[in-house]
């Protein structure tokens, strides 16, 4: 093997031995660089004759091209290897599940409130909203429950150390009943001209759902809970209408035509007579038990008077029900506190 073949072989070995492009460039310098072996051989030709230069030059060129070819091949091989490593480390696993944005949903009690509004809406009831921080007059006195009356202790009220706009102290409303008077006042104001002229005012037909507050906390009571008030007042609205409306509502709400209602005599300052409304399912897990769902009654004349209306002319009924309770019964939930814990595992079941 001549000297040039050996040189080519050494270059091939040197290139094969490097592991990185930088090392390859260093190895290249030994053979093809300014003071590399090929350059030296070229310089060594100076003393040769013209003919010798020709053949010697051609032979060196062949060797140079072989070394350049080996360099090029090794460069490509290193680049391919680097790319392969990069592709492997940066690869996307397209079979991984994507990141899903969790969808929110309606709270079960909100579902119930929507359902109540929808059912009473079909019976011509308006839906009203009012303050949760309420004056003493609206929460109690206007509802025929004067200061120091023992009936005030029926509700363990949160009192607020502030005077209301009507001069009586504020409380966190313990029921939605003040909305009866607030709504009636608006209604009366709207139809004052008719009333003053002694003509008939359009009937009041309203429900008022919302949050209510009492000092109370156990599996079936929470300091914040929901109520939905109902009021139907006109010149000819009787207890019979209450029975029809409420029976219709309960049967629609629970989707149960054979649901039985019981109006059990009771006491509320703002109604006379007063009744608790119990329901009984005829089938299903709760069948046969009486379950209390609302308070109700014929609106007391003193309340009608506080609405700005003549109790000799306007009569009607009112009720107050517990949407939390209705939700528990509808979905079979046995601890009220689950509604307010915010546990997604519980809430997700209603989506
Ligand atoms: N406000 C009563 C309560 O919280 C419920 C109630 C009873 C409302 C009778 C009414 C009613 O409108 O007529 O216990």
């Amino acid at each position: 093997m001549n000297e040039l073949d050996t040189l080519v072989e050494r270059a091939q070995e040197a290139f094969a031995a490097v592991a990185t492009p930088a090392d390859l460039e260093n190895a290249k310098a030994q053979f093809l660089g300014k003071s590399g072996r090929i350059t030296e051989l070229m310089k060594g030709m100076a003393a040769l004759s013209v003919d010798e230069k020709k053949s010697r030059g051609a032979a060196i060129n062949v060797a140079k091209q072989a070394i350049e070819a080996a360099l090029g091949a090794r460069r490509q091989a290193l680049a391919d290897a680097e790319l392969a490593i990069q592709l492997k480390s940066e690869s996307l696993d397209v079979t991984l599940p994507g990141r899903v944005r969790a969808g929110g949903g309606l709270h079960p009690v909100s579902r119930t409130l929507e359902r109540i509004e929808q059912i009473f809406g079909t019976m011509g009831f308006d839906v009203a909203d009012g303050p949760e921080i309420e004056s003493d007059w609206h929460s109690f006195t206007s509802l025929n429950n004067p200061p120091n009356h023992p009936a005030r202790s029926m509700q363990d009220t949160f009192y607020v150390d502030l005077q209301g706009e009507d001069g009586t102290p504020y409380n966190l409303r313990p029921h939605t009943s003040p909305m009866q008077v607030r709504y009636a006042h608006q209604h009366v104001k709207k139809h004052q001209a008719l009333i003053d002229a002694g003509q008939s005012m359009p009937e009041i037909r309203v429900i008022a759902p919302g949050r209510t507050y009492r000092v109370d906390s156990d599996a079936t009571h929470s300091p914040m809970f929901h109520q939905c008030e109902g009021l139907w007042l006109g010149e000819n609205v009787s207890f019979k209408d209450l029975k029809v409306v409420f029976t219709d509502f309960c049967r629609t709400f629970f989707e149960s035509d054979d649901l039985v209602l019981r109006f059990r005599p009771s006491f509320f300052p703002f109604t006379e007579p007063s009744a608790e409304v119990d329901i009984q399912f005829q089938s299903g897990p709760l069948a046969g038990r009486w379950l209390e769902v609302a308070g109700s009654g014929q609106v007391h004349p003193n309340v009608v008077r506080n609405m700005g209306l003549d109790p000799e002319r306007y009569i009607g009924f009112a009720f107050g029900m517990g949407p939390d309770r209705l939700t528990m019964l509808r979905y079979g939930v046995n601890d009220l506190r689950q509604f307010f814990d915010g546990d997604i595992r519980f809430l997700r079941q209603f989506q």
Side-chain angles (χ1 to χ4, degrees):
M1 195 184 272
N2 72 32
E3 175 203 9
L4 288 174
D5 290 341
T6 309
L7 183 63
V8 171
E9 210 165 82
R10 281 202 4 244
Q12 286 169 340
E13 284 166 9
F15 297 160
V18 305
T20 68
D23 291 344
L24 182 63
E25 295 314 310
N26 289 335
K28 167 196 162 188
Q30 288 175 38
F31 301 95
L32 301 171
K34 262 189 237 160
S35 50
R37 291 290 297 126
I38 293 290
T39 314
E40 274 175 22
L41 290 173
M42 297 285 206
K43 283 179 187 161
M45 292 199 303
L48 298 180
S49 71
V50 173
D51 279 352
E52 281 172 329
K53 271 185 185 162
K54 247 189 188 168
S55 60
R56 178 67 175 162
I60 293 175
N61 250 334
V62 169
K64 187 184 176 190
Q65 281 165 12
I67 293 172
E68 281 172 349
L71 176 70
R74 186 63 183 144
R75 267 199 191 125
Q76 190 60 50
L78 285 177
D80 288 350
E82 199 169 28
L83 182 65
I85 289 170
Q86 194 180 357
L87 284 177
K88 201 170 173 194
S89 67
E90 291 176 7
S91 67
L92 282 180
D93 182 351
V94 294
T95 65
L96 275 178
R99 282 182 207 155
V100 185
R101 182 188 288 220
L106 276 187
H107 190 279
V109 174
S110 299
R111 283 178 182 275
T112 294
L113 291 173
E114 282 198 350
R115 204 171 159 75
I116 292 171
E117 290 174 20
Q118 195 235 327
I119 296 170
F120 277 101
T122 66
M123 295 194 255
F125 281 73
D126 192 11
V127 179
D129 202 11
E132 292 169 27
I133 302 175
E134 186 53 284
S135 74
D136 191 86
W137 188 81
H138 280 101
S139 283
F140 300 110
T141 313
S142 71
L143 295 165
N144 194 36
N145 196 348
N148 304 317
H149 193 280
R152 286 206 176 194
S153 62
M154 288 169 78
Q155 297 157 339
D156 292 310
T157 309
F158 286 107
Y159 288 94
V160 180
D161 206 3
L162 275 176
Q163 289 289 308
E165 81 267 18
D166 57 22
T168 64
Y170 275 130
N171 55 76
L172 299 187
R173 65 178 182 188
H175 54 182
T176 45
S177 301
M179 281 307 293
Q180 288 186 35
V181 178
R182 283 191 177 272
Y183 187 87
H185 278 160
Q186 285 175 15
H187 188 88
V188 166
K189 208 167 154 190
K190 206 154 98 188
H191 302 289
Q192 195 65 58
L194 278 180
I195 295 167
D196 289 347
Q199 287 180 299
S200 290
M201 165 194 86
E203 287 184 345
I204 293 176
R205 216 182 292 181
V206 67
I207 59 165
R211 280 182 285 267
T212 46
Y213 303 84
R214 288 184 204 178
V215 186
D216 219 348
S217 188
D218 60 39
T220 51
H221 298 88
S222 99
M224 190 285 295
F225 58 106
H226 296 86
Q227 277 199 348
C228 181
E229 198 72 12
L231 174 68
W232 187 350
L233 206 74
E235 292 181 21
N236 196 18
V237 184
S238 73
F239 209 94
K240 176 197 73 189
D241 298 304
L242 165 65
K243 284 187 130 177
V244 170
V245 164
F246 214 79
T247 303
D248 241 29
F249 164 73
C250 289
R251 289 183 176 166
T252 311
F253 183 87
F254 288 108
E255 297 167 274
S256 169
D257 285 340
D258 55 3
L259 192 74
V260 178
L261 275 76
R262 175 174 80 178
F263 289 78
R264 179 163 41 89
S266 183
F267 169 79
F268 298 102
F270 28 89
T271 42
E272 180 60 39
S274 305
E276 304 273 3
V277 187
D278 302 332
I279 62 170
Q280 190 187 75
F281 294 98
Q282 303 309 300
S283 57
L286 298 169
R289 280 170 51 194
W290 286 110
L291 308 157
E292 188 184 317
V293 292
S296 68
Q298 193 78 16
V299 181
H300 195 285
N302 286 345
V303 177
V304 177
R305 205 169 286 119
N306 287 331
M307 291 171 174
L309 292 168
D310 176 7
E312 296 296 327
R313 181 159 186 174
Y314 292 100
I315 57 172
F317 65 80
F319 59 83
M321 60 181 160
D324 305 320
R325 190 87 207 285
L326 294 181
T327 312
M328 290 172 79
L329 294 174
R330 179 149 191 253
Y331 294 114
V333 175
N334 52 24
D335 192 332
L336 175 71
R337 289 168 292 202
Q338 288 187 287
F339 289 145
F340 310 118
D341 282 346
D343 187 330
I344 273 188
R345 291 166 302 179
F346 172 74
L347 296 173
R348 205 180 263 143
Q349 298 176 72
F350 302 92
Q351 304 316 318

